[in-house]
Amino acid sequence: MMDRSEYIEFILDHYNNPRNHGEMQDPDILVNGGNPGCGDVVTMYVKVDEIDRVVDAMFEGHGCTISMAGASLITEMVKGKTLEEIQEMPYTPLIDQMGEDVVKSRLRCAILGMDTLKGGAREYPSRKATGQKLI
């Protein structure tokens, strides 16, 4: 287990060097989320295969260090998972990786990317049936 300063360094690394950051061309899922109270905004992009398993995930957005680090981290965590698995994902692994003590006062920020992605995963089957992208 890391100490508080190591968790902060981990979060700062994801913030300063975000993984999977940028706009995805022709995503299967495109979903926007935000925290109106603090102004954090995130757009999640996902490509899925024929069995609705995530083959790629990316994000764009702006906001606090914790929300952007959380979005970066969740794009790494969901690759290879099915949309159903994403919907059922508990928040604990994400929060544990970021350091519960560090993010407990900012949980909405920490889980913004994950919540946004869960919403997209939930909506995808009905959108897919009608040929719509999530916007």
Side-chain angles (χ1 to χ4, degrees):
M1 197 163 131
M2 297 190 282
D3 67 28
R4 184 177 175 81
S5 65
E6 289 171 315
Y7 283 118
I8 292 169
E9 283 299 315
F10 178 77
I11 290 168
L12 286 172
D13 181 50
H14 269 273
Y15 178 75
N16 292 319
N17 307 292
R19 282 45 154 203
N20 310 301
H21 184 262
E23 182 179 353
M24 179 185 288
Q25 297 303 309
D26 197 32
D28 295 305
I29 298 174
L30 185 163
V31 62
N32 297 301
N35 284 336
C38 59
D40 294 339
V41 177
V42 69
T43 300
M44 304 299 293
Y45 303 93
V46 180
K47 278 256 194 228
V48 295
D49 63 16
E50 61 281 346
I51 59 167
D52 292 346
R53 184 177 304 278
V54 175
V55 292
D56 198 11
M58 295 178 71
F59 82 100
E60 288 184 306
H62 61 271
C64 71
T65 304
I66 291 174
S67 69
M68 294 299 102
S72 171
L73 189 55
I74 199 65
T75 61
E76 291 188 313
M77 293 174 73
V78 298
K79 288 182 184 176
K81 294 193 180 305
T82 65
L83 297 180
E84 188 174 320
E85 288 171 328
I86 291 170
Q87 291 177 63
E88 296 169 1
M89 278 178 79
Y91 294 105
T92 312
L94 176 68
I95 293 165
D96 286 350
Q97 281 198 43
M98 296 177 80
E100 183 180 1
D101 187 50
V102 176
V103 300
K104 69 182 171 195
S105 65
R106 305 284 299 282
L107 283 179
R108 288 187 58 192
C109 299
I111 64 171
L112 173 61
M114 187 173 187
D115 268 348
T116 303
L117 205 51
K118 282 176 173 273
R122 191 171 45 253
E123 298 268 333
Y124 181 70
S126 59
R127 298 282 181 142
K128 181 180 173 184
T130 61
Q132 298 176 23
K133 300 277 188 210
L134 286 183
I135 297 176

